[in-house]
Amino acid sequence: MLRTTLAGLRMHKGRLVTTALAIILGVTFVSGTLVFTGTLNESFNAQVKGSADGFAAIVLPDNDQGDGSEPTLLSQRTLDDIAALPEVTEAGGVIRGDTPLLDTEGRVVGNLPTAGVSVGDSTRYSAAEGELPADADEVALATGSARETGHGIGDEVQILDHEGAEHTFTVTGLVDFGVGSEFSFTGAVAFDETTAKEMTGVDGLSEINVTGAQGTTDEAVTEAVAAVAGDAEVLTGQEFGQRLAENAGADSQVLTMALMLFALIAMFVASIVIYNTFAILLAQRQRETALLRCVGAGRGQVFRGALLEAVIIGAVSSAVGVLAGIGVGYAGFAIGGETLGATVSSTSVVIGPAVVVAGLAVGTVMTVLAMLVPAIRSTRVPPLAALRTSATAQGLEQGIGWVRIAGGVALFLLAAALVRWAMALSSSGPSEHGLLVVTLGGFAAFLGVFVLGPLLVRAIVAALGAPMRKLGAAGALAADNTRRSPKRAATAMIALTVGAALITGYSVISASMESTITDQLERQFPVDYTITPQFDTETGEGIPPAVAGRLEDSPAIATVITERTAYTGGGEARTDLPVSAYYGGAVGTDVGASLKSGDLSDLAPGKVVVAEVYAEGRDVGATFTVPTEQGERDFEIAAVTAGTDGLWGVTMDPDDFATYFPDATDAQSVSVRAADGAEDDEVHDAVYAAVEDDPTLQVMSTAQLKNEITDFLDTAFLVIAAMLGLSVLIAVFGIANTMALSVLERTRESALLRAMGLAKGQLSRMLSMEAVLLCLIGAVLGVGLGVVFGWAAGTVVLSDLLLTVPVARIALLIAVAVLAGLLASVLPARTAGRTSITGALASE
């Protein structure tokens, strides 16, 4: 049987090319993901650990204060005591505070103040490019801050000190602070120690780096340091580096899981293609199998021979896929690693045993599993089948009956019930469990399509039969060929259905989220510009009243809406209750939010609007107690909001707010609406002129914010669609393989058609129409599933979802399906056209 199996593989190797390609592509994605994320992790580890491994001990403030307060900084005395230890050669302290960096337009960078850090030879930070600052007028930038602002070595930058005064520095170098650190969110600028103390105004150290004496172990140094460091946390450099590596690795693990999800989708689609190919091949080789039975082969030998064939194909294809995956993974790291914060130039490709083992195992096991059902069928071929003269795949169309119909309908009913359950779970807010239930519902619906696929194909082709016959003999023959083999057609197109459903589903989610967020922005603040302060945990200062005054004086501005907010204790369930009021605009007209009950326009003195999370079950008309600067006061609830798109705390009438919170005079935001007829440039200049004295105020236009959201969602869609596109490509290979095997099976039939007058061009058009019809059926079914379950998934994740069906994207997907069908038919059509008429008719 081994020789027979190998001979069969050699004889039919051309028929297995697309199957091998499907396996190779799937394994390439799996192996490439492992190489990419492994190399990325290694880069992260080298970055964060390399900065700490060179020190014997790292001293950190005690993070566990017990009362939730910030950790106490380390004192200069602690540093001196550590430096005086005989086990220590040198100890350096790190000063850290807020020093906002300005961009090229003189505005602060980011929503959080840039961190100012002291660096030097005795600290664990070093220059990735250039040099560390040595003088008072020099500074080094974090590599991320340099990318965001466009500043480079030799440039002059403006930085604000702790009092808001602006200072100019020359950039001498770039520092890689590592991924996963707090500087990933804030950015950082590095000073020498004296300048850092002056700029940050911080009196204390956030970290002490200790170099041990020669011949002293890190553990001994750590023990000695801990004895004089009080309540501070003391770690060896190795332990601290490991902690940093674990924190950085958590981010890459999320990326790994996401990429592996796409890889599993590709492998699932590939398994469908492999199953369909083997089912057709083994069905076409019924006479060969029956002849083996006649000469003494048992059922077990036939079964083992089929599985051996799968093992050989899977192992060889997987090996090729692993090699391709190594190249693809490192190429992806070289292209996108720097964007993710990795150091590409100094990192070598990481190829662990898991890459090879996982790639070979996944590809081979998947191929064997896909072969199981066809292999079992092949054992049922009777020896008398060897007497048949036909080489057609008999038996492949069996099993279409009432049992199949009942099973398919039951699966669709189950899918509907699961979607209904998911909606119930998310009725009170976004639900992770609801998303899981929707996923299960989608899987049940897909199985329903798989079970009822042959009947769906028959119904769709019957509906399209009349218009296809108007296209001539080629169209009529294509419809008849598809309709007479609905099970094969359904199995071929189901892989495309999976890819089309996933792409459509995500398209619906992306487009609906974009529409929903845009609508929420327009309802919350139907304005042109919004001014907000940079978030500063130390001062918590807002926008001075003078800013709103300057805006009100501008003829280009029609409306100025000022939001004032006070935070007050609200009991155990409402700690730090935010209480806000809006001046210059009416709640319900100029300021809006999604409502749960009531009417925003009912807000008046003595009444409040409360977000659902703070209402604690209270509804309109109930009494709500607000702790104020004048003591607790009771208010009537005028409306309850969802709290997801504005008015997320308690909203009070402006007169009441001024009475009960007289000290809250700074604004948390100022929104403006342009005057009728005002030019865009006039409005822009008026807004920026109002904030020119305070560079920490950030200006965001509503149009800019919408564009940023749109760009982000569009970019995410393109990335995800590209990854899901691999499954579509594999599905197209499957359709091409099905067409090629069908052409081989129908060789005599095609020759007879040619003999009866069908031209080569008509034969090619017939096969093209068959392939296009398969792709269209698969794509249309996928689009239907994608729209339904995209809406369901979006609804359970985002409340008040505005369903938006991206018609243009779906039309493009269908156009791609048509093009894919045409491409899938090219080689089979050429093969059919080149076949000798007389030779084919003379053959068995």
Side-chain angles (χ1 to χ4, degrees):
M1 286 302 297
L2 175 60
R3 288 195 297 270
T4 302
T5 300
L6 294 176
L9 285 174
R10 288 194 298 269
M11 184 172 63
H12 301 298
K13 58 181 180 295
R15 305 183 187 186
L16 296 168
V17 170
T18 51
T19 301
L21 283 175
I23 300 170
I24 290 169
L25 286 174
V27 173
T28 296
F29 205 147
V30 173
S31 301
T33 295
L34 294 174
V35 170
F36 174 79
T37 54
T39 307
L40 190 67
N41 271 330
E42 183 64 24
S43 175
F44 288 170
N45 289 348
Q47 286 173 243
V48 298
K49 291 176 69 175
S51 63
D53 281 355
F55 292 90
I58 305 291
V59 185
L60 303 172
D62 181 16
N63 289 314
D64 187 10
Q65 299 297 304
D67 56 0
S69 61
E70 291 292 324
T72 304
L73 294 177
L74 303 169
S75 66
Q76 181 64 41
R77 180 177 178 178
T78 300
L79 175 60
D80 294 338
D81 290 343
I82 293 173
L85 291 171
E87 294 88 353
V88 173
T89 298
E90 187 178 19
V94 176
I95 298 170
R96 185 179 304 165
D98 293 341
T99 53
L101 173 66
L102 305 186
D103 60 19
T104 53
E105 294 183 355
R107 313 304 306 172
V108 291
V109 177
N111 294 319
L112 296 170
T114 310
V117 186
S118 65
V119 296
D121 295 336
S122 58
T123 60
R124 61 186 177 88
Y125 302 115
S126 59
E129 296 180 38
E131 298 177 351
L132 294 178
D135 296 328
D137 61 348
E138 295 179 344
V139 70
L141 299 182
T143 51
S145 298
R147 281 196 301 269
E148 185 173 355
T149 61
H151 292 309
I153 297 174
D155 292 345
E156 288 190 344
V157 295
Q158 284 69 46
I159 302 173
L160 304 182
D161 63 19
H162 64 100
E163 294 180 344
E166 186 175 316
H167 301 261
T168 300
F169 296 87
T170 300
V171 178
T172 61
L174 303 180
V175 179
D176 190 346
F177 287 97
V179 179
S181 69
E182 61 188 274
F183 305 130
S184 301
F185 304 99
T186 64
V189 290
F191 309 92
D192 63 54
E193 184 177 345
T194 302
T195 307
K197 185 175 295 186
E198 294 173 353
M199 291 293 293
T200 62
V202 172
D203 185 17
L205 305 172
S206 61
E207 180 182 318
I208 296 176
N209 304 142
V210 181
T211 302
Q214 187 172 4
T216 307
T217 64
D218 291 352
E219 289 72 17
V221 174
T222 302
E223 185 177 347
V225 170
V228 299
D231 294 332
E233 182 181 16
V234 183
L235 303 171
T236 65
Q238 193 77 20
E239 292 171 341
F240 184 68
Q242 187 62 39
R243 176 187 292 182
L244 294 176
E246 289 173 357
N247 292 337
D251 295 333
S252 61
Q253 286 174 7
V254 174
L255 179 61
T256 301
M257 292 178 62
L259 291 176
M260 287 304 296
L261 175 62
F262 291 115
L264 291 176
I265 291 171
M267 295 302 294
F268 176 67
V269 173
S271 67
I272 296 175
V273 171
I274 296 165
Y275 162 78
N276 193 37
T277 300
F278 284 143
I280 296 172
L281 277 176
L282 293 181
Q284 288 179 345
R285 284 153 46 185
Q286 287 184 76
R287 288 190 63 209
E288 178 184 324
T289 303
L291 187 58
L292 288 172
R293 295 290 310 281
C294 287
V295 297
R299 290 176 182 265
Q301 288 178 298
V302 172
F303 179 75
R304 289 192 295 273
L307 290 188
L308 178 60
E309 186 174 336
V311 170
I312 294 172
I313 296 170
V316 173
S317 302
S318 298
V320 176
V322 169
L323 293 175
I326 292 171
V328 169
Y330 190 68
F333 174 76
I335 295 171
E338 187 173 341
T339 302
L340 296 171
T343 303
V344 174
S345 58
S346 60
T347 305
S348 58
V349 62
V350 176
I351 308 172
V355 174
V356 178
V357 173
L360 291 175
V362 168
T364 304
V365 170
M366 177 195 68
T367 308
V368 171
L369 291 176
M371 174 63 99
L372 282 177
V373 173
I376 293 172
R377 286 178 184 165
S378 68
T379 63
R380 298 171 182 169
V381 176
L384 288 177
L387 300 177
R388 294 176 183 151
T389 58
S390 174
T392 58
Q394 298 180 25
L396 197 62
E397 298 305 323
Q398 295 178 358
I400 303 176
W402 288 107
V403 174
R404 179 180 290 270
I405 294 174
V409 171
L411 286 168
F412 279 121
L413 291 175
L414 174 61
L418 288 172
V419 170
R420 185 177 181 85
W421 182 26
M423 295 301 169
L425 289 173
S426 61
S427 60
S428 58
S431 169
E432 294 181 3
H433 294 97
L435 186 59
L436 176 61
V437 172
V438 168
T439 303
L440 294 175
F443 187 68
F446 166 73
L447 289 179
V449 171
F450 184 80
V451 171
L452 294 180
L455 299 176
L456 294 173
V457 168
R458 280 182 175 175
I460 294 172
V461 175
L464 296 176
M468 288 188 69
R469 282 179 169 77
K470 293 182 180 180
L471 299 176
L477 288 170
D480 290 340
N481 288 337
T482 305
R483 192 175 182 186
R484 74 179 179 178
S485 302
K487 192 171 181 181
R488 175 183 298 181
T491 309
M493 62 84 179
I494 200 69
L496 183 59
T497 300
V498 176
L502 292 171
I503 291 177
T504 302
Y506 186 74
S507 297
V508 170
I509 293 173
S510 177
S512 299
M513 287 183 65
E514 184 176 327
S515 300
T516 303
I517 294 173
T518 299
D519 178 72
Q520 289 176 347
L521 286 173
E522 291 176 350
R523 279 191 286 119
Q524 181 184 355
F525 287 117
V527 294
D528 297 301
Y529 284 90
T530 299
I531 302 170
T532 57
Q534 188 178 52
F535 181 73
D536 190 335
T537 56
E538 293 183 3
T539 65
E541 294 180 354
I543 305 171
V547 173
R550 286 193 287 268
L551 290 168
E552 291 169 350
D553 293 339
S554 173
I557 305 298
T559 305
V560 179
I561 304 170
T562 302
E563 175 196 0
R564 298 182 188 174
T565 300
Y567 291 89
T568 179
E572 292 184 4
R574 298 198 305 273
T575 301
D576 293 332
L577 175 70
V579 182
S580 303
Y582 294 88
Y583 295 81
V587 172
T589 304
D590 300 304
V591 180
S594 297
L595 274 176
K596 288 295 183 179
S597 61
D599 190 337
L600 293 178
S601 60
D602 289 342
L603 180 64
K607 295 184 177 182
V608 291
V609 173
V610 186
E612 185 179 27
V613 67
Y614 294 106
E616 299 174 359
R618 299 177 181 86
D619 207 344
V620 175
T623 298
F624 188 88
T625 302
V626 179
T628 74
E629 295 177 11
Q630 314 299 326
E632 290 189 347
R633 294 292 186 270
D634 291 337
F635 295 87
E636 179 186 344
I637 296 178
V640 178
T641 68
T644 56
D645 57 352
L647 305 185
W648 44 74
V650 173
T651 305
M652 190 176 287
D653 180 83
D655 292 336
D656 284 346
F657 189 86
T659 300
Y660 296 115
F661 298 97
D663 295 334
T665 56
D666 285 349
Q668 297 302 307
S669 71
V670 175
S671 302
V672 300
R673 188 183 299 120
D676 293 338
E679 297 291 337
D680 291 342
D681 290 343
E682 292 178 321
V683 180
H684 176 276
D685 293 343
V687 171
Y688 276 85
V691 299
E692 64 180 354
D693 293 338
D694 191 344
T696 63
L697 297 180
Q698 298 185 311
V699 179
M700 175 68 73
S701 72
T702 303
Q704 179 185 353
L705 183 57
K706 291 178 183 176
N707 289 336
E708 288 182 359
I709 293 172
T710 300
D711 290 345
F712 173 78
L713 291 175
D714 288 346
T715 301
F717 169 77
L718 291 175
V719 171
I720 293 175
M723 293 182 181
L724 292 175
L726 178 62
S727 63
V728 174
L729 178 62
I730 294 173
V732 172
F733 282 154
I735 291 175
N737 207 29
T738 299
M739 293 300 302
L741 295 173
S742 179
V743 165
L744 292 173
E745 180 180 293
R746 287 159 26 195
T747 299
R748 296 188 68 199
E749 178 183 321
S750 299
L752 183 60
L753 290 172
R754 292 286 313 284
M756 295 174 64
L758 193 72
K760 282 186 178 182
Q762 290 177 303
L763 183 62
S764 296
R765 285 197 295 276
M766 178 192 77
L767 294 172
S768 296
M769 288 181 183
E770 280 188 56
V772 168
L773 189 57
L774 285 178
C775 288
L776 274 178
I777 294 173
V780 169
L781 289 175
V783 166
L785 290 175
V787 170
V788 171
F789 287 96
W791 161 78
T795 301
V796 301
V797 171
L798 187 65
S799 59
D800 301 324
L801 183 79
L802 296 178
L803 176 63
T804 303
V805 179
V807 177
R809 289 177 179 174
I810 291 176
L812 178 62
L813 176 62
I814 293 176
V816 169
V818 172
L819 179 60
L822 293 173
L823 292 175
S825 67
V826 171
L827 291 178
R830 291 182 63 184
T831 301
R834 290 176 177 178
T835 302
S836 169
I837 298 175
T838 57
L841 291 175
S843 64
E844 258 192 294

